[in-house]
Amino acid sequence: MMDSGFDRRDFLKVMGWSGAAVALSGCGNTSIEDGKETLVSYVEAVDYQIPGVGVYYNSSCAQCDAGCSINGKVREGRVLKLEGNPASAINRGKMCGLGQAGVQHHYNPDRLREPLLRNGGSGETITWEKAYALISEKLKGVSGEEIAFLSGVVSGHLKVLLGNYLSSLGSKNHFVYEALAPGVVRAANKKAYGVEMPRYNISKAKVVLSFGADFLGAWVSPVHFSQQYAQFRKGVDGQRGVLIQVEPKMTLTGANADRWVPIRPGTEGILALGIINALGIATGDIAAAVKGYDKARVSKETGVPPGHIDKIAAILKLRSPSLVLAGGAAEGYAHGSQNAAAINLLNHVLGNVGKTVEASAAVPFPQMAPAKGNTAALKSLNDGLAEGKYKVLFNYAANPVFTAPGAMKFKDNMAKAGFKVAFAHYMDETALQADLVLPLESALEDWGTQVPEYMAEGAQINILQPLMENVHPNTRSIGDILLALLKQSRAEEYKNYEDFYAYLRSALVQNKAALGGHAMDEDAFWNETLTKGIIKLVGTTAALSGKAGISGLKLPAPAEIDEQYPLQLIPSVNISLRDGRHTNQPWLQESPDPLTTIVWDSWMEIHPKKAAELGIVEGDIVEITSRIGSIKTQAYLFPGIHPDAISVPIGQGHEAMGRYAKGYGVNPLKIMDAVFDRETGELAMHETRVKVSKTGQRVIVVKDESAAGAKQIREKIAGRVYTDNVDLTKEV
Amino acid sequence: MKDIREDIAWAKINQDVLKSLENPRKLYWVILFVAIAMLGVALGCEVYQYNVGMGVSNMDNPHMWGLYIASFIFWIGMSHSGTLLSAILHLMHADWRKPIYRFAEAMTTFSLMTAGLFVAVHLGRVWQIYYALPYPNERGAWPNFQSPLLWDAMAIFTYLSSSIIFLYVGMIPDLAICRDRMHEGWRKKLYTLLSLGWEGTDRQWRNFRVTYLTVACFLIPLAVSVHSIVASDFGMSQQPGWHITSFPPYFVAGALYSGCAAIITLFIILRYVFRFEEYMTLPILKKIVRLTFAIAMVWTYLNAVEFASVWYSHDQASKDVLIQKASGTYAPFWWGMIFCGSVVPLTLAFKRIQTNIPVLFAVSLLLNLGMWLERWMIVAPTFSHGIYPWTWDHDQWPSFVQWGMVFGSFGWFTLLFMVFCKVFPSVSMYEVKEMVYHRSQESKRLEETGKFAAAGKGAH
Amino acid sequence: MSISNLLENWSKFRHTHPVDDKPHDPYKWAMSIDLDACSGCNACSVACYAENNLPVVGKEKYAHGQVMHWMRIEHYWDEDVGEEGGREFPDQGAQFLPMMCQQCEAAPCETVCPVGATNHTEDGLNSQIYNRCIGSRYCSANCPYKVRYFNWFNYPTTDNVWPAEMVQQLNPDVTVRGKGVMEKCTFCVQRLRAAEVTAKSEGRLVHDGEVQTACQQACPTSAISFGNLVDQESRVHRQWRAQQVELDKDKQAKDDHEEPSELRGYRILENMRPYPSVMYLERVRESAI
Amino acid sequence: MHRFLRITVLLTGLFAAFSIYAAESQQSVPMTEDSLGPLVEQPIEFPHNRHAGDADKGGMQINCMYCHTYARRSAVAGIPPLQKCIGCHQSIESVRETPRIKKLFEYWEAKKAVPWKKVHDLPDFVRFNHERHIKRFIEQQNRPFQEVCGYCHGNVKEMTVARRSKGLTMGWCASCHQKDHTVVAEGGTPIGTQAYWYTFYKPEVEDASAGVLKAKGPNDCWRCHK
Amino acid sequence: MSQRHLLALYSNFNEAEAVVEELRSTQIKGFDVDKDLIVKSPIEHPEVEEFLGDKPVRVQWFTLGGALMGGLLGFFLISAAQGNFYAQFKGGKPIVPFPPNFVLTYEMFILGGVFITVLGFLICAGLPARRSPLYSANVSEDQIGILVKSDESAANTLKAIFTKHHALEIQEEAGR
């Protein structure tokens, strides 16, 4: 770098508009003009910055917690597009739609620009100094127990800094909340394999039997799993992998399955045991325990035809190794842990543990490991708030007012906290309830490190670095904020760190030996780290320790149909909207749901048979009523759902968050019962029972597929062949 | 039922026709005002559409074309009747065309002008319309001569200019009459200028006759080619419901049909508004009505041929489009077209109706409606049920902008036509004179040879 | 000049493409999409929005069918699902199909454009020249795949399409289209041209993998492969060859098989003879389950 | 009858002339060839003649590429960073106090970019690639910089503030593209006629052994409009 | 010698015919029937041509020339335009495709034909013409005019003939 006295950020400066003009209206200026447009050049330039030529910076994606590495294309100081970083073992140069929409998070017109202080019903713009002073003032005389910090998943140095800040306040109340976390599965895995999240080696499996794990869509690390899936489909020696998906509502993964098995909601565990029984290879107490699960009973309880059970068992027996996954649809019940345990047992019985279920690596810095979010944390925070335990509440990267089930009444409870500080990018529902809202830099402007929860190969620390200067100059990095707050009590300790960047740099550079840079000097190491965007480590591998055990496994019989609320509500997870954090990114709003192709709205999926029973046709506005409340949305007849269930996607129904999110669709979580998994205390997402009634209104569903539905009648558009006929070994 | 009197004084012909040029009745102003108001609606719509974008028309993907193209074909089709009356019947020496061909010819010109406007209205970037014109330019880029739209442009240009020339040339002797009979004023100046110094000398008449005949000969194949080319906008594409071999004759028949229907309508209006009862006589009307009936049957037949060829072909996509026309969203309009186009004209077979002016007026309007629907039913259903299933059955309803433009186009046409009728003689005076002269000569000859009774042509 | 030019090149002017001649040398950009790998996740479509300055039209215009996605993910259910006597559930999943401009060798859209705004380029693309387009929309009317999108509104000035901040995201290499012009997938021509130019300056040809389309680059399952069909070593060429799909045929080896063929490469609506440049590989389903 | 003949001959002649013009007009070059475009007011009146002009006219004969360095590496030429101006002028004391240089240093001290106005501003939908033209004519054929840049920019070395001196219209561009230019294989490796595939009119091989061809510029619309 | 113009008006064609017959049969000095006689009529009347004798009409030659020129020009202009520098394949069709060019040639054929025919008409009929020395508005109504040009000496003879055949009116004017 040049030693001109400019720091790196100066090179991220947005070059004047017309260095290489963005033709805003390519059809506007239609003649040759002289002297109308202004050309602005850099005051100072570095060699690699050439107008008209893109520069790529490696960083990390912060759209979800999978930890993909990105490669941001920057032109004239503006980030244009995010592409995958091929060096990352997680995404290998690939990007999902959600990740690519990161630029729209960055450039979002509804981002917060100034610190806001609640002043009656409205927000008053204040300075950062005043904001810090206010926090310091409010924290005076408040004991550590009375302070709660709610956050989404945090990892890396931010987590360390946050931990330090909380300890400086004497608080242990860090609640890590993630609305869609696989909390139950983690616990079940811990029991079965000894680790919360083993490495699932889909590409090695010949058969994948997934109980509701939408690994191609929104589960854990979808981009990574998608790549594995592609390899799995090509198979080994032309033996193409077979995917069987068991779930009551078809997910994207289900739509790609060779066999999609609709199952009565909540009976996944029963089917798992039934398959173990049908396999007939279990021994000892397992064999004894599953004895009762004969085909007839399982079929009756789950609604899966006996033929299917046979076929599944046969193919699992024939083709080894296989892989059984427990996912969202299986865990969302009060007996979710039991379901997951039964499913995991199947892996043991099939001998997949150690073959396709492998030990995963972790970074050798436990303090940086991600603080995994779950919903149990929300429950305890909510309980605490309800009791009025907390005087000061900090909130970062979580939006519980939107995502907490309606039954929890989180919004009301939150009001009981005396002073609420939200670190936020947007004025979302939770920030709206806060007393002080501090605007954050976007992930493309910020520094940081990230440790993915799910490690693909070895372990890695992802680097976040700014790709361009701040779009809004008065936003700040969460790291800088925490550092500033820390300095309020521990100024001496942190005086060497001017900002979070300095902290980060020194923290990494100090450990360069452990981070693979022992031979390099500090600057070289630092530059290389930034260039690569990833620090790859060997990692520590915890061996799989769990064993097949059936003791304590007790599956309840399928629930009786409630006369008053006869249908099961499945709040489904949309691949791009997820928990609604990114609803305000217009690309995602306009990107159709893959299965229904509906955009910009919510909908209720209902099986055509059930719909006919209820007299519902597509576009009918229906009222979905649970014990908690009711929502109204449009009906969509969807064959890929169990007739006893309906499904409404999560992510829409925002009451805030700006022009692209507010007022579109409904939030099914608003009518969700607060039922918890009996073992882990995690929220049981699928335990809400509802009834559906027509309101008499009808709308035209805004969707991409043809009005007549997505069927090809005569012309061959999308073809299909069977494995009997194909020979994948000959393919390229 | 009186035909034109053979003994009518030629001076009276002049007088009667010239009277129509001056002192408009109140009714005339009412019609003109309504026409201008209608045009205003269209202008408003166009300004809105121009400023905001084509999207305000409610068109979308895949409904790329809408009422604009349908109306374009409708107006092009309407223009064919003028040629039929002035050129084809001229060649056949059907003298009954003489009192009525002038306004039919004017109708040709004005409906072509209306059609041309629809091309402009339809374009997404009408301000770049000159890109479609084959003129030598600095860019060195030429339009794509392969495009049927360019053929259209060329054909319409040829047809419009030829029609105007034909109309004008045929009008020169009449303009001379106007020049001679009009009082001093702007009119006199205009007629003096336009009549080119016509004095009816033997040399002028001699060349005039040949020219008129030659241009008529050119106009007939031209008219046929124009609507065949419009048909090839559709026939040349690969879309189901459009890619049909019988489209060119079908379009031509449809064109003549709608043109004849329009002639009936205008005949009745002119007869009433300008008091032309003496020239636009019922026997003439009867002949047009019979002609219309014949063409209606030809059209019906060609329609049936189209359906049959689709039905018995192996082109499933086309068959689907046909089924969808008859049973889908567009079914009411499609059946409306069948009713108005094939059933309503059956009434014309009855003699009593052939001269019943109120009924004929209603029928002719229905026929025109049917023909407009036909054009819409050619354009729209293919878009909603094309080859590719993903875009099937996406409903689209034209917005008020499209309807407003269609509505306004009638105003524009009426405006032009009404102004024409006041500026130029809408009945060809010299030809009516010729007609009565030849008829009287003929009857004189018959009288002389004593065959008057045998001929049985007691036209009185 | 012109007349002499006409006489000199007469035989060239009379060639029919791609039947008479194969002028594509050294580049013919083509694609193949493995529907067995495609999971329908929409990443390609979003990548396309990001790369090609596609406007987000909003709910109301989407409802009107005025959406601008150059690449759309279609899904089809089996014919008998939900039908009388058919299957109750789509238990073999959906059939996803990414559909974008097929860059036909003999594209129906090209002939009909009155101003010649869409042409077949020398490297085998179907070009769309925005500034030439007058918006007659005939091309879309004649497109069998309906993959052409028209700018019904002036999106650059429409509220909330590109608010001030988002303007900065626009790709300067791609013209932002104003109202009244047609647009469609370009195979990321800006990337292709950049790669071709770089290669030419270095005195070589673009090698396989040097240039990727945005959709291909994003695709998490690598279902899309893209490259130079003339290059014998390119992945796309090898795929086409393995599937015995030939660019200038309207019927492939697969279509001649009486028995279900082990080949799974096909081109959509091939019988209409547009000679598309995108080969799809049929989705495979396990027979044993 | 003479009158008829005269009129007929006149009209036929006019029609024929129009037709010939129509047929040949593709070759025409716009009329703005030698006239200069409007004078553009720049924040600093940069004297091109002082920097690039010939020595006998008091110029420094600085190569275009010295300042406009991006042109050979990118499609857009860009404007040299302020740093570049300062780099030299820091050590040129003689003109340090002239008003223009003072203005320059004011910008530098404020770390503000100079808001230059664009002189050669093509319509937004036209993409001219500087790099390719420089590679083609300067690096490959060793033509002098000022000649090659001058094809489009005119005789800048004699201007103070640059002014447009060429038409820069599409027909003007094409008038050069449709010439048969002699080219030798680029990058040292002859790759045959393939390299010039981009027009409908295939190149002619002039000297096969030396890899010398005659080729036209691209004619594909998508070269410049995308 | 000074010239004189005479215009006689008749109410019907028979009288006019008789006048012409008589003029033709009478040898009058300073008056040539074929050159100096113009019949003006309100309608086109084939008999007039008959009794005036055969006079050539040349409009058809214009038609032929115009149509051929239009057609050829159409084809070659279009083909030349198609084969311009920007020639690119469209839809796989040849750069110079025949079917479209034939359609356009056809249109140009007609266009040329019509335009040049009308041009020919104007030329052959001498239009636009200056007003002839003598004209009566009655000619455009219902009377047939016979305009003759003669030496002054013949004027009286002519007048006599006109009067004999019940001329409704005779106008007289000194010519140039």
Side-chain angles (χ1 to χ4, degrees), chain B residues 315-342:
Chain B
D315 185 357
Q316 193 57 47
S318 299
K319 222 187 247 186
D320 285 349
V321 173
L322 187 60
I323 293 169
Q324 195 247 357
K325 278 179 187 172
S327 63
T329 326
Y330 293 107
F333 307 106
W334 191 79
W335 287 110
M337 155 197 126
I338 299 277
F339 175 76
C340 292
S342 296

Side-chain angles (χ1 to χ4, degrees), chain C residues 201-270:
Chain C
S201 295
E202 292 170 10
R204 60 176 174 86
L205 296 178
V206 176
H207 47 72
D208 195 32
E210 187 180 341
V211 58
Q212 289 183 306
T213 60
C215 52
Q216 175 197 19
Q217 193 175 20
C219 180
T221 57
S222 307
I224 303 174
S225 53
F226 175 81
N228 181 3
L229 203 59
V230 178
D231 177 3
Q232 304 275 320
E233 297 311 307
S234 72
R235 182 176 150 81
V236 80
H237 177 90
R238 285 182 290 133
Q239 277 181 312
W240 280 55
R241 194 174 49 205
Q243 297 295 341
Q244 297 176 36
V245 175
E246 285 176 58
L247 189 66
D248 55 342
K249 295 263 175 69
D250 58 1
K251 215 172 176 200
Q252 308 297 346
K254 175 176 159 62
D255 302 320
D256 295 332
H257 283 269
E258 292 280 315
E259 299 291 303
S261 155
E262 65 180 27
L263 301 171
R264 53 192 192 104
Y266 71 103
R267 297 189 293 176
I268 295 174
L269 302 180
E270 203 163 34

